[in-house]
Amino acid sequence: MSAGTSTSTSGTTVSSATSSETGTGPATGTGSPRRRRRGADRRPRFAIAVTALFFALLYLPVGVVVLFSFNSQKSLTVLDGVSLRWYTALLHDEVLLDSLGMSLRVSLVAMAGSLVLGVALALGLVRSRSRLGSFAGLIMLVPLITPEIVTGVAAMLLFKGLGITLSTTTVMLAEITFSISYVTVILRSRIAALNPEVEEAAMDLGATRGQALRLVTLPALLPSILASAVLIFALVFDDFVLAYFTTGVDPQPLSVRIYSAIRFGVQPTINAVGTLMLVGSIGLIVLALAIPRLFGRKGGLDLLSGK
């Protein structure tokens, strides 16, 4: 009995060892848990390599621009010392400074105009219960998917057909028209998420519809409005296509001025301008992401969704 038991136990031990080596034991079926866990934890090396290559191609030219903006020499291929020479030259370049001032004015006016019209349009689209409101909501998405060059050519032909001379005013009008859709799309989802009973309660307490809108609805929309303002300012300031087709001879927006300058050769001053624009854009992005947190909201990446 003892020998038989020993033999049976030994056979069971050998069978268990064989099962664990082959990874086909009855408890696992498809391999040991450790092996499956090791396969799940394996990093996708190809995806990581593609991602690294993408970011390298995207940001390496930007890094070169920033690096050579501090070059002490005029060369754009050989870095010979670190200096703020080209930033100083930018401060004395009246043409570029005039273009910078125009871009800032256009961005501020487009931001203010598109916010006023976009907030009103978003409120109207959400509160409207007719089919016309739904159709208008679909129409607002058209500028977002239409190539900007089509919008620029259409705006230029419209101004020419009306006999309006291209100038700073035409750039402002075109940018406001183009930016309304962004504000409307951002605020529309936020307005739809608001509880209408709060506004109704304010009117039950004696507030007029205008007072309820000003004291209840707009404060609730303030984080999304400010985030939209930052986004529109950045988009308009960096815009080239629409500004190129609607601007006059002088002064020109900064993006158009830079394009005109590099047609005759890239100057180191352009590197300094590009670096300053990059820093400004990053600052605006950080500000847009920080605005919701300033109002006690957790998320900062809900800019485009308006949540």
Side-chain angles (χ1 to χ4, degrees):
M1 293 294 290
S2 177
T5 305
S6 177
T7 303
S8 176
T9 305
S10 176
T12 304
T13 304
V14 172
S15 177
S16 300
T18 305
S19 299
S20 63
E21 289 177 0
T22 58
T24 57
T28 58
T30 57
S32 64
R34 180 179 299 177
R35 183 173 300 177
R36 292 200 306 270
R37 186 165 54 252
R38 188 182 301 120
D41 295 339
R42 186 176 300 170
R43 295 181 180 180
R45 297 180 179 178
F46 179 75
I48 295 176
V50 172
T51 303
L53 179 62
F54 167 77
F55 281 107
L57 294 176
L58 183 64
Y59 291 108
L60 186 59
V62 178
V64 172
V65 170
V66 175
L67 180 63
F68 279 89
S69 67
F70 296 99
N71 194 4
S72 61
Q73 301 297 326
K74 194 175 181 179
S75 175
L76 297 175
T77 57
V78 179
L79 184 64
D80 186 15
V82 178
S83 174
L84 297 177
R85 171 185 177 182
W86 305 115
Y87 291 91
T88 305
L90 174 62
L91 295 177
H92 295 84
D93 194 330
E94 296 183 359
V95 176
L96 286 178
L97 291 180
D98 290 341
S99 297
L100 176 61
M102 179 186 175
S103 293
L104 292 175
R105 291 194 302 270
V106 171
S107 300
L108 291 174
V109 172
M111 179 184 68
S114 61
L115 282 178
V116 173
L117 298 176
V119 170
L121 184 57
L123 287 170
L125 292 176
V126 174
R127 303 293 170 82
S128 177
R129 302 183 183 277
S130 62
R131 293 183 178 180
L132 182 61
S134 301
F135 179 73
L138 294 177
I139 293 298
M140 290 305 304
L141 298 177
V142 174
L144 301 180
I145 60 177
T146 303
E148 192 176 355
I149 189 172
V150 176
T151 306
V153 173
M156 181 188 67
L157 294 178
L158 175 63
F159 293 135
K160 292 289 187 179
L162 296 177
I164 301 176
T165 304
L166 298 181
S167 61
T168 304
T169 303
T170 57
V171 179
M172 292 178 179
L173 292 175
E175 295 290 358
I176 290 174
T177 305
F178 181 72
S179 303
I180 292 175
S181 298
Y182 289 93
V183 179
T184 304
V185 170
I186 294 173
L187 293 180
R188 187 178 178 182
S189 59
R190 177 57 182 163
I191 295 173
L194 293 178
N195 189 355
E197 295 179 356
V198 178
E199 189 173 341
E200 294 174 359
M203 290 188 289
D204 290 340
L205 294 175
T208 62
R209 184 172 295 275
Q211 290 175 336
L213 175 64
R214 179 170 55 88
L215 300 176
V216 177
T217 305
L218 290 182
L221 296 176
L222 187 58
S224 297
I225 292 176
L226 293 179
S228 301
V230 174
L231 175 64
I232 296 303
F233 183 89
L235 289 176
V236 174
F237 185 82
D238 293 337
D239 182 68
F240 168 76
V241 177
L242 196 59
Y244 178 80
F245 284 101
T246 57
T247 188
V249 177
D250 198 45
Q252 294 178 329
L254 185 60
S255 57
V256 180
R257 179 67 66 182
I258 292 175
Y259 171 75
S260 302
I262 63 177
R263 292 172 59 187
F264 304 100
V266 179
Q267 299 294 325
T269 310
I270 303 300
N271 292 334
V273 175
T275 302
L276 293 178
M277 293 178 66
L278 175 64
V279 173
S281 299
I282 294 176
L284 290 175
I285 293 174
V286 172
L287 180 61
L289 297 178
I291 283 176
R293 295 183 179 274
L294 296 178
F295 288 87
R297 299 172 63 183
K298 296 181 180 180
L301 297 175
D302 55 356
L303 174 61
L304 294 179
S305 63
K307 296 180 180 179

